[in-house]
């Protein structure tokens, strides 16, 4: 019995690989997009313009306050009503990138705010332009602070990508759901699905931990 | 070179600069002193626009500070500012701290900037610390890097806000020696400090502030030997007792 | 197009959303209580010296953190019947949320306990307290204070995560939106109303977090003085 199930599971490995590929593609594309947009938003959020900052803050709050599943449904079902045709993959990318951008925006903004004012003043005093101050002085120091939560955010992003299976994308979770209809052993099937995610996420979790402890050590140095 | 005419400044309801009129000639060294909270830092920070003024006129190197037509970024490149807390960039080495602005603001070639930077660091006695990070340097060494960082821009004016007051006593003189040598080369300087030895050696003028106003101004000899107001007498009594 | 956005239909479905909101609320409360229990047990296991209790706790926490909640939910939903355990969807959902959030809460509590300075513990040792007494009188009261804000943060996460239960047809808030979307072909009305209801819960919890922050801040100032 178990042996038969195993065989039929092995038979569905092309499907599993496709699912893993879909999960990785979704995560990777939205990771890149989300990071770029998130940094831009984070910089704008801490920039001088109150209005822009408020608007970004309100948007981030809306995204943080609603379940990702609902966001996906909104994008997938409502954008077409507004005349924007899109397939499930595009909808997934939009939803995930937006989610990542919002969280990364807050991480980056917190990092920028944590840079001491003296640093900005020193850069101002030596005549660096606005962008040069950002690029040469503020961002490198903000990055150092933001890196561990940023990596943590990537883990969340990969996990959240599982939710797009709800609009029918064949990612790793969806593959599990499809296979379990044929091979009625949920424990086995979803343990394997879990291992798939674990293999991708766990190294990132370890990386985030290492970065964090290294940063703790660096802080010790500075405090001396 | 620097001219304040009737400058006022408020922090909310707090009147921190009261009708300041003061002018600093080219190659002149002016020391500003006064009790804590009297507005010395605010005064000196106005010169390069780190603080904005509300009324009055402030002209620096022929440009009106705070005027919309003045490019403050350009003006600031001509003014060195040394902070009490050094404010070196912690993610950059001593040499990188010194060459950052010359490369990006002055658009000097990296190699030329590094050569000038090494020369200046050697001049302030840090020939062996080019590649050290700020966290690896003592306070006195950090402040000397900060001074080299300003000098590398070949500024017309140097401003110092209590450059030695965050330092351990044994490091104060190494920083003051550098400042004296900069002054002797004819730099225009405004220095907030309570180091009266420095004032006697190189300052042409001492300005005494209290509660946001300039109370007294004169040569160091006049000021130290014969302070004219009760407040300056009381102040000198306090700082000279140490 | 959204010009025929129908508020009338929303009003018509309002009782359904009311029920959904209440369901989400109470199932979140129950799950959070379960998660606290799971978290406290895991954290206690993790803080022991013995590897026998430490290692399983660590493995569990890492396994939960490195896999998506949805996969965990399906694992239980499709897996439990296999073990002969047949539970209503709602119970499976609450179980999944508790087991998932518990792992995060264990880490929050651990961070809180570890944030208590060595000096505090040593002061306890110096005044002759036993391990239990030190925990009871010195460490836990202080740790409690630092863990409240992140715990409320985790509560917000849990409320949002509970939306996934709609995928195993638990009737809660998101399910209400799905029903309106599919019965009347009105996804905009359905999911915008759903989102609005979640925002009510979100801002409520956020306000609570701010209040607790202020209250705890006042407390620590008092005890600091
Ligand atoms: N950013 C600010 N906002 C509000 N008040 C300020 C600010 N900066 C300075 N002040 C106030 O303005 C007054 C003058 O401050 P300033 O720093 O110029 O004094 P100071 O003479 O440099 O004192 P110290 O010797 O302590 O450095 C003080 O009362 C100070 O509290
Ligand atoms: Mg000052």
């Amino acid at each position: 019995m178990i042996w038969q199930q195993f065989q039929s599971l092995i038979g569905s490995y092309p499907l599993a690989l496709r699912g893993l590929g879909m999960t990785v593609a979704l995560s990777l594309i939205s990771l890149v997009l989300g990071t770029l947009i998130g940094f831009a938003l984070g910089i704008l959020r801490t920039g001088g313009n109150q209005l822009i900052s408020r608007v970004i803050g309100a948007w981030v709050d809306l995204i943080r306050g609603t379940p990702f599943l609902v966001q996906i449904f909104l994008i997938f079902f409502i954008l077409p009503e507004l005349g924007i045709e899109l397939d499930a993959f595009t909808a997934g990318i939009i939803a995930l990138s937006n989610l990542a951008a919002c969280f990364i925006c807050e991480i980056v903004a917190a990092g920028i705010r944590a840079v001491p004012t003296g640093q900005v003043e020193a850069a101002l005093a030596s005549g660096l332009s606005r962008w040069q101050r950002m690029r040469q002085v503020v961002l490198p120091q903000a990055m150092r602070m933001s890196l561990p939560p940023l990596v943590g955010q990537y883990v969340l992003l990969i996990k959240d990508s599982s939710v797009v299976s709800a609009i029918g994308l064949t990612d790793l979770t969806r593959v599990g759901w499809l296979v379990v209809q044929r091979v009625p052993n949920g424990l086995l099937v979803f343990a394997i699905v879990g291992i798939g995610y674990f293999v991708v996420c766990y190294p990132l979790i370890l990386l985030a931990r290492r970065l964090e402890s290294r940063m703790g050590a660096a802080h010790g140095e500075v405090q001396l | 070179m620097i001219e304040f005419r009737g400058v006022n400044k408020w922090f909310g309801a707090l009147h921190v600069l009261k009708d300041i009129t003061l002018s600093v000639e080219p190659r002149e060294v002016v020391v500003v002193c006064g009790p804590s909270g009297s507005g010395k830092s605010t005064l000196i920070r106005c010169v390069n626009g780190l603080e904005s003024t509300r009324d009055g006129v402030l002209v620096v190197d022929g440009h009106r500070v705070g005027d919309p037509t003045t490019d403050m970024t350009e003006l600031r490149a001509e003014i060195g500012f040394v902070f009490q807390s050094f404010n070196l960039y912690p993610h950059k080495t001593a040499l990188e701290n010194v060459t950052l602005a010359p490369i990006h603001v002055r658009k000097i070639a990296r190699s030329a900037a590094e050569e000038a930077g090494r020369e200046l660091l050697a001049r302030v006695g840090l020939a062996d610390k080019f590649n050290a990070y700020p966290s690896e340097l003592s306070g006195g060494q950090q402040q000397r890097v900060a001074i080299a960082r300003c000098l590398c821009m070949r500024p017309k004016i140097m401003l110092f806000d209590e450059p030695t007051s965050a330092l351990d006593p044994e490091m104060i003189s190494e920083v003051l020696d550098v400042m004296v040598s900069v002054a002797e080369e004819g730099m225009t300087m405004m220095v907030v400090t309570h180091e009266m030895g420095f004032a006697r050696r190189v300052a042409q003028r001492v300005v005494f502030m209290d509660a946001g106003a300039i109370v007294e101004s004169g040569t160091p000899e006049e000021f130290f030997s014969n302070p004219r107001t009760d407040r300056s007498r009381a102040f000198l009594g306090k700082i000279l007792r140490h | 197009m959204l010009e025929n956005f129908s508020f009338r239909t929303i009003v018509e479905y309002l009782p359904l959303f009311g029920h959904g909101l209440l369901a989400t609320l109470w199932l979140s409360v129950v799950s959070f209580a379960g998660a606290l229990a799971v978290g406290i047990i895991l954290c206690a296991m993790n803080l022991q010296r013995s590897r026998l209790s430490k290692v399983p706790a660590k493995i569990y926490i890492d396994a939960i953190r490195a896999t998506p909640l949805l996969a965990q939910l399906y694992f239980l939903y499709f897996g439990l019947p296999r073990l002969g355990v047949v539970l209503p969807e709602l119970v499976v959902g609450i179980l999944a949320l508790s087991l998932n959030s518990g792992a995060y809460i264990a880490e929050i509590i651990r961070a809180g306990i570890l944030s208590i300075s060595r000096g505090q513990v040593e002061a306890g040792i110096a005044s002759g307290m036993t391990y239990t007494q030190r925990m009871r009188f010195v460490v836990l009261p202080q740790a409690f204070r630092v863990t409240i804000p992140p715990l409320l943060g985790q509560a917000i996460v849990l409320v949002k995560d509970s939306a996934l239960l709609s995928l195993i047809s638990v009737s809660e808030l998101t399910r209400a939106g799905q029903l309106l979307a599919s019965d009347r072909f009105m996804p905009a009305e359905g999911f915008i109303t759903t989102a609005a209801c979640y925002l009510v819960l979100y801002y409520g919890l956020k306000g609570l977090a701010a209040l607790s922050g202020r209250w705890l801040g006042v407390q620590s100032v008092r005890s600091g003085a």
Side-chain angles (χ1 to χ4, degrees):
Chain A
M1 173 82 171
I2 293 268
W3 176 239
Q4 276 173 356
Q5 287 182 350
F6 227 88
Q7 274 186 323
S8 97
L9 273 184
I10 288 171
S12 25
Y13 89 94
L15 188 63
L17 278 186
R18 233 184 78 200
L20 188 62
M22 174 62 85
T23 292
V24 170
L26 275 171
S27 310
L28 219 56
I29 295 174
S30 21
L31 183 150
V32 172
L33 286 177
T35 305
L36 291 176
I37 300 171
F39 265 80
L41 290 181
I43 292 170
L44 284 174
R45 178 114 163 86
T46 50
N49 192 321
Q50 281 296 309
L51 183 69
I52 293 181
S53 174
R54 289 261 172 83
V55 170
I56 295 176
W59 180 250
V60 168
D61 235 18
L62 284 184
I63 296 306
R64 291 223 283 203
T66 48
F68 183 54
L69 181 63
V70 176
Q71 292 166 22
I72 287 192
F73 284 151
L74 277 169
I75 288 171
F76 187 57
F77 293 115
I78 295 184
L79 285 189
E81 287 199 40
L82 295 171
I84 305 167
E85 285 307 323
L86 77 181
D87 55 12
F89 186 74
T90 319
I93 293 285
I94 293 176
L96 277 170
S97 305
N98 174 52
L99 182 75
C102 285
F103 280 92
I104 291 172
C105 162
E106 290 302 280
I107 291 173
V108 171
I112 290 177
R113 290 197 192 99
V115 175
T117 47
Q119 290 293 314
V120 182
E121 288 184 347
L124 263 175
S126 53
L128 293 173
S129 71
R130 201 183 162 79
W131 172 242
Q132 287 169 335
R133 293 197 297 272
M134 215 8 122
R135 169 78 193 73
Q136 300 293 335
V137 177
V138 177
L139 276 186
Q141 296 184 54
M143 261 317 277
R144 216 172 259 205
M145 285 219 41
S146 313
L147 211 52
L150 200 60
V151 176
Q153 194 55 51
Y154 292 155
V155 175
L156 288 184
L157 180 69
I158 295 168
K159 291 193 288 176
D160 280 332
S161 77
S162 68
V163 178
V164 299
S165 63
I167 51 171
L169 274 180
T170 326
D171 75 327
L172 202 49
T173 304
R174 180 79 184 167
V175 166
W177 192 88
L178 290 172
V179 170
V180 91
Q181 315 292 328
R182 280 192 294 114
V183 186
N185 188 340
L187 290 180
L188 191 59
V189 171
F190 280 98
I192 294 172
V193 168
I195 290 171
Y197 282 103
F198 189 87
V199 168
V200 184
C201 291
Y202 193 59
L204 284 175
I205 291 180
L206 291 182
L207 177 67
R209 270 186 207 151
R210 250 188 62 187
L211 287 171
E212 206 157 343
S213 62
R214 219 182 56 187
M215 211 177 69
H219 268 290
E221 265 171 38
V222 173
Q223 273 168 5
L224 284 174
Chain B
M1 204 72 177
I2 305 173
E3 193 178 1
F4 288 82
R5 263 177 279 151
V7 170
N8 281 285
K9 177 168 181 64
W10 279 266
F11 280 123
L14 187 67
H15 196 174
V16 267
L17 292 183
K18 294 176 188 155
D19 216 10
I20 300 287
T21 296
L22 169 72
S23 94
V24 179
E25 303 306 318
R27 307 174 74 83
E28 195 181 13
V29 176
V30 172
V31 161
V32 180
C33 62
S36 180
S38 56
K40 309 178 298 287
S41 299
T42 311
L43 177 79
I44 199 171
R45 287 160 61 88
C46 284
V47 175
N48 72 345
L50 285 179
E51 303 286 355
S52 58
T53 56
R54 200 161 89 186
D55 53 37
V57 178
L58 171 52
V59 180
V60 177
D61 191 27
H63 302 278
R64 264 192 72 166
V65 175
D67 194 89
T69 60
T70 304
D71 185 341
M72 282 311 292
T73 306
E74 244 167 58
L75 181 57
R76 284 184 184 123
E78 308 299 333
I79 310 173
F81 196 108
V82 176
F83 296 86
Q84 181 174 0
S85 50
F86 331 133
N87 292 350
L88 292 184
Y89 308 128
H91 57 299
K92 297 202 178 285
T93 63
L95 187 59
E96 287 167 349
N97 263 279
V98 173
T99 57
L100 179 74
I103 291 172
H104 289 97
V105 178
R106 293 269 192 246
K107 311 288 183 201
I108 294 173
R110 180 172 295 271
S111 56
E114 283 181 351
E115 200 186 313
R118 284 201 196 92
E119 219 166 84
L120 279 166
L121 282 172
R123 179 179 151 195
V124 300
L126 296 170
D128 52 340
K129 299 290 186 191
F130 296 156
N131 297 319
Y133 283 92
S135 59
E136 298 160 355
L137 297 173
S138 74
Q141 290 170 330
Q142 288 189 53
Q143 195 60 298
R144 284 182 282 152
V145 173
I147 294 174
R149 175 167 76 175
C150 292
L151 290 174
C152 204
M153 288 291 281
R154 312 219 162 278
K156 296 180 180 160
I157 301 170
M158 292 267 285
L159 308 171
F160 295 79
D161 188 6
E162 305 206 34
T164 56
S165 59
L167 299 177
D168 292 339
E170 71 270 23
M171 293 172 184
I172 290 178
S173 65
E174 66 191 35
V175 171
L176 288 179
D177 288 346
V178 172
M179 289 168 60
V180 167
S181 85
V182 173
E184 283 171 349
E185 282 184 357
M187 178 69 72
T188 308
M189 290 167 58
M190 237 176 119
V191 184
V192 176
T193 186
H194 292 162
E195 293 296 332
M196 292 308 148
F198 173 81
R200 277 182 201 277
R201 265 171 83 186
V202 295
Q204 275 85 48
R205 208 141 42 100
V206 175
V207 169
F208 174 72
M209 285 184 76
D210 191 24
I214 294 181
V215 177
E216 193 172 336
S217 156
T219 64
E221 291 74 40
E222 283 171 5
F223 181 69
F224 291 124
S225 54
N226 190 15
R228 275 169 295 172
T229 62
D230 291 343
R231 281 188 281 179
S232 48
R233 262 192 294 278
F235 173 74
L236 280 175
K238 258 184 231 158
I239 62 164
L240 294 179
R241 211 174 298 145
H242 303 308
Chain C
M1 280 303 263
L2 288 185
E3 54 247 28
N4 38 35
F5 190 86
S6 165
F7 284 102
R8 276 213 7 235
T9 320
I10 292 180
V11 173
E12 197 181 309
Y13 271 73
L14 227 40
L16 183 68
F17 281 104
H19 280 131
L21 188 67
L22 280 180
T24 289
L25 196 59
W26 80 257
L27 78 82
S28 297
V29 169
V30 174
S31 305
F32 193 74
L36 267 179
V38 172
I40 288 169
I41 293 170
L42 280 174
C43 180
M45 285 171 70
N46 202 354
L47 288 176
Q48 299 304 311
R49 286 243 175 73
S50 146
R51 295 183 140 237
L52 221 58
S53 93
K54 215 183 174 102
V55 172
K58 278 196 191 305
I59 291 177
Y60 178 85
I61 291 172
D62 282 348
I64 293 285
R65 290 172 66 110
T67 51
L69 171 62
L70 187 55
Q72 295 157 14
L73 183 65
Y74 284 155
F75 179 78
L76 293 178
Y77 181 67
F78 293 111
L80 284 179
R82 174 90 198 147
L83 298 176
V85 185
V86 181
L87 297 170
E89 286 90 357
L90 179 65
V91 179
V92 175
I94 289 175
L95 200 60
L97 284 175
S98 303
L99 291 175
N100 175 276
S101 265
Y104 293 89
I105 288 178
E107 293 287 272
I108 291 173
I109 300 176
R110 197 171 84 103
I113 289 176
L114 294 183
S115 76
I116 306 309
S117 72
R118 190 76 209 134
Q120 291 289 316
V121 179
E122 278 166 2
I125 296 175
S127 50
M129 292 186 188
T130 64
Y131 177 81
T132 337
Q133 286 170 329
R134 288 198 307 271
M135 270 293 169
R136 165 80 184 74
F137 297 112
V138 181
V139 176
L140 289 183
Q142 297 186 56
F144 179 73
R145 193 173 298 161
V146 281
T147 51
I148 292 296
L151 279 181
L152 282 169
Q154 185 59 37
I156 291 176
V157 171
L158 191 149
V159 169
K160 292 191 293 168
D161 278 348
S162 73
L164 292 183
L165 303 202
S166 67
L167 297 178
I168 56 169
S169 17
V170 173
S171 63
E172 41 70 82
L173 202 42
T174 307
R175 191 79 192 146
Q178 287 170 1
L179 285 179
L180 173 48
S182 58
D183 290 359
R184 300 289 185 91
F185 306 108
M186 287 182 175
E189 286 80 350
F191 294 121
I192 288 177
T193 313
T194 306
C197 292
Y198 278 109
L199 285 175
V200 169
L201 294 176
Y202 172 68
Y203 283 110
L205 280 168
K206 223 179 127 174
L208 204 61
L211 265 180
S212 80
R214 209 168 312 150
W215 182 69
L216 295 166
V218 168
Q219 254 205 346
S220 60
V221 167
R222 265 198 216 128
S223 64

